[in-house]
Amino acid sequence: MDPRRRFFFRAQPAAAAIQRPPGALPEAAFEQACTRCDACIAACPPQVIRRGSGGFPEMDFSRAGCDFCGACQRACTPGALAAAPGFGPWKAQISSSCLAQRGVDCRVCGDACDARALRFPPRRGGAPVPVLDLQACTGCGACVGGCPAQAIKLVVPA
């Protein structure tokens, strides 16, 4: 066997899931229905939808969160955003780079969360750390952009 071809046998990294706008059909159906017209991007008041890979719309919470206003769904004439509004399984995940977990009193994510999915119970001898209620988390991304440590991302829990 030619050693230069060994990379063919290495495990390929799994493709990262992409968060589509609220009400997106399942991924295969979404890609079939979406015409990449950018109507949902133009209609989004908080401007959290951007053109992603392949020209398909995806969420970008670096500046704001989604308020579930429905403007993107109403603008989507092809029907790619025709499912029930919301982000389905997407939930916030807090990494170890969280300032509160490092002893700094920070509650920016909790202040941004309208669903009150982040609580800060008192802790003896240190700053309160965020506790995430996965049932209450809507996946809106409001907590993501405000985090000074960029310690929050949205994931589909395993």
Side-chain angles (χ1 to χ4, degrees), residues 69-113:
C69 68
C72 58
Q73 289 179 308
R74 289 188 298 276
C76 184
T77 54
L81 303 178
F87 290 118
W90 291 90
K91 303 292 179 187
Q93 182 181 59
I94 304 170
S95 75
S96 60
S97 62
C98 171
L99 294 177
Q101 292 180 8
R102 294 174 174 246
V104 177
D105 193 7
C106 177
R107 300 178 190 211
V108 173
C109 58
D111 292 341
C113 183

Side-chain angles (χ1 to χ4, degrees), residues 18-35 56-57 73 76-90:
I18 299 169
Q19 189 169 10
R20 299 293 182 203
L25 298 173
E27 190 64 22
F30 174 82
E31 288 181 0
Q32 281 285 330
C34 181
T35 61
F56 293 105
Q73 289 179 308
C76 184
T77 54
L81 303 178
F87 290 118
W90 291 90

